[in-house]
Amino acid sequence: MVGQIDDLEFGLNSFGDISTDAGRVMSDAETLRLLIEEAQLAEAVGLDVFSVGEHYREGMVDSATPVLLAAAAQATSSIHLGTSVTVLSTQDPVRLYQEFATVDGISGGRTQLVLGRASAIESFQLFGYDIADYEDIFEEKLDLFLRLLREDRVTWSGKYRSSLENVRLHPRMPDGGIPAWIGIGGSPDSVIRAARHGLPLMMAIIGGRPERFAGHAELYLRALSSFGHPELPIAQHSLGFIADTDEEAKNVHWKHWQPVVTQVSKERGFYPPTAERYAEEVDTGALYVGSPETVAQKIAGIVRANHLSRFDLKYDVLHLPRQAREHSIRLFGERVAPRVRELLAENPGDWHLTGRTPAQIVKAVHA
């Protein structure tokens, strides 16, 4: 494992889901301000990273991520600020560099990115891109963005944007750029891409047994070695909710998770959620829902199994009350994270290559 147990990081991920307050649906503006308050709370309870996604659908307010992160930077002083996903395929890499160089300067060097191809594809039509170019456009834009991160001046040409000739962007990032991860949802090709470019790996595991991604971790480490790169961090993003008891956590989360996943199942053509399938996901799958001890035990197990250096909890879900969100964040930072470190110190386990094959792509249960 990269680093020591004390170096294990814990992050919060938001998709900007609209919240409720005393039974009232909050406005978009109120939810935006709530996100800034939650970044402050995440810092206060000792969490390492606060991240916001990028979506363009009803019920989510995270479409202007750099603006949100800049506001969070002004409201905090030490927590790292990043994206749970940046849809690079429909971004201009030049503009993206400038936006995040700005946020990084405002935050005093606390900014990072997770780059992805998009599991929710609304941005393709919104910004005039052809979904048929899904793979090629990401590869080209990733190449350009990494050139901008890593080089002082860039000369470049490609298919999907105008050429650059000896360009030096401002404001400048630090030499080498800011930390940038590759986010994957299940494709072994994406694992190899992360290793080839020498980027840390963020695994979005949102359904099924998370241990099946041990094969991805092993593939990634082998590929890093074959490309001549040192071992780099592996992280996991998963959905969850923490309350004082297992029963309370499951009851509250199910009430808000079920309608969201029911809608997504209609859009994407997979099974509608049932109470039985939900219980299975909580018990042995990729939902981290329960009391602090239950969630800590489950995270400690997956840190060992998947060779993790970081675990990110996607804590919000549409219309989850702001009070429940706040309590879950407090429990995650004050009780779960310290308990995971304690459990790993007691029994760190011997992580080793198991020879498992990479997990197969599964249909997502959350946008």
Side-chain angles (χ1 to χ4, degrees):
M1 182 181 300
V2 173
Q4 304 298 316
I5 290 170
D6 289 343
D7 298 327
L8 178 65
E9 290 189 325
F10 293 88
L12 283 179
N13 284 350
S14 170
F15 286 177
D17 292 87
I18 295 292
S19 186
T20 56
D21 187 7
R24 177 184 64 86
V25 176
M26 297 174 67
S27 69
D28 288 3
E30 288 174 316
T31 301
L32 288 169
R33 294 192 292 271
L34 176 62
L35 289 172
I36 305 307
E37 294 175 12
E38 290 172 340
Q40 292 177 301
L41 177 59
E43 179 174 88
V45 299
L47 293 170
D48 301 291
V49 188
F50 183 82
S51 300
V52 182
E54 181 193 341
H55 295 83
Y56 302 88
R57 58 186 299 144
E58 190 74 24
M60 296 177 178
V61 296
D62 61 339
S63 58
T65 312
V67 181
L68 269 168
L69 295 179
Q74 288 293 85
T76 59
S77 60
S78 60
I79 194 167
H80 289 90
L81 302 166
T83 64
S84 49
V85 65
T86 292
V87 185
L88 182 58
S89 302
T90 53
Q91 294 272 2
D92 176 14
V94 171
R95 194 63 179 147
L96 190 68
Y97 177 99
Q98 293 167 326
E99 289 171 340
F100 278 86
T102 301
V103 177
D104 196 58
I106 291 170
S107 69
R110 293 184 282 133
T111 311
Q112 55 186 259
L113 286 158
V114 175
L115 304 169
R117 295 181 298 173
S119 60
I121 59 174
E122 290 87 355
S123 62
F124 279 79
Q125 181 176 3
L126 186 63
F127 296 117
Y129 289 95
D130 188 344
I131 193 65
D133 297 326
Y134 183 82
E135 182 69 26
D136 292 342
I137 196 170
F138 180 79
E139 188 63 49
E140 178 177 297
K141 291 193 174 187
L142 178 62
D143 172 68
L144 174 55
F145 188 65
L146 293 180
R147 292 275 307 277
L148 294 169
L149 285 184
R150 294 168 174 174
E151 300 176 17
D152 186 62
R153 293 184 179 273
V154 173
T155 297
W156 177 93
S157 63
K159 179 180 177 182
Y160 298 101
R161 78 167 323 276
S162 56
S163 299
L164 303 177
E165 182 67 33
N166 197 31
V167 167
R168 189 173 193 265
L169 299 178
H170 295 277
R172 299 299 301 163
M173 288 185 183
D175 290 345
I178 63 174
W181 303 62
I182 289 289
I184 71 155
S187 167
D189 289 341
S190 296
V191 175
I192 298 298
R193 178 185 290 114
R196 175 163 48 87
H197 288 290
L199 297 174
L201 184 70
M202 174 67 75
M203 304 187 296
I205 307 178
I206 54 178
R209 294 181 68 91
E211 294 85 357
R212 75 193 194 282
F213 275 75
H216 278 73
E218 294 164 9
L219 174 64
Y220 175 65
L221 293 175
R222 289 192 181 103
L224 281 173
S225 178
S226 71
F227 288 118
H229 297 302
E231 185 174 337
L232 294 171
I234 300 171
Q236 177 175 325
H237 153 108
S238 290
L239 284 63
F241 176 72
I242 307 159
D244 293 325
T245 67
D246 289 345
E247 182 178 9
E248 178 188 2
K250 288 186 282 190
N251 288 342
V252 171
H253 191 253
W254 164 256
K255 177 182 176 181
H256 298 91
W257 182 87
Q258 187 269 341
V260 171
V261 181
T262 296
Q263 178 60 37
V264 175
S265 71
K266 294 176 182 177
E267 296 171 0
R268 302 191 183 182
F270 62 86
Y271 71 88
T274 65
E276 292 74 21
R277 294 295 294 268
Y278 178 79
E280 182 180 344
E281 284 291 338
V282 170
D283 291 343
T284 61
L287 287 179
Y288 290 77
V289 175
S291 67
E293 181 65 20
T294 294
V295 174
Q297 292 280 351
K298 190 170 183 178
I299 292 176
I302 205 59
V303 166
R304 298 187 192 103
N306 283 355
H307 198 62
L308 302 181
S309 298
R310 172 175 158 189
F311 181 91
D312 282 7
L313 185 75
K314 199 278 185 183
Y315 68 95
D316 55 357
V317 65
L318 186 64
H319 295 161
L320 182 67
R322 64 179 300 166
Q323 295 84 358
R325 288 163 57 139
E326 176 184 345
H327 192 51
S328 182
I329 292 169
R330 287 190 181 278
L331 292 175
F332 186 50
E334 295 175 348
R335 296 182 57 185
V336 173
R339 179 60 175 149
V340 172
R341 292 189 176 101
E342 184 180 76
L343 290 166
L344 291 172
E346 293 171 355
N347 178 24
D350 294 324
W351 192 94
H352 59 280
L353 297 179
T354 64
R356 298 179 190 171
T357 57
Q360 298 301 306
I361 299 173
V362 296
K363 292 182 179 178
V365 296
H366 197 285

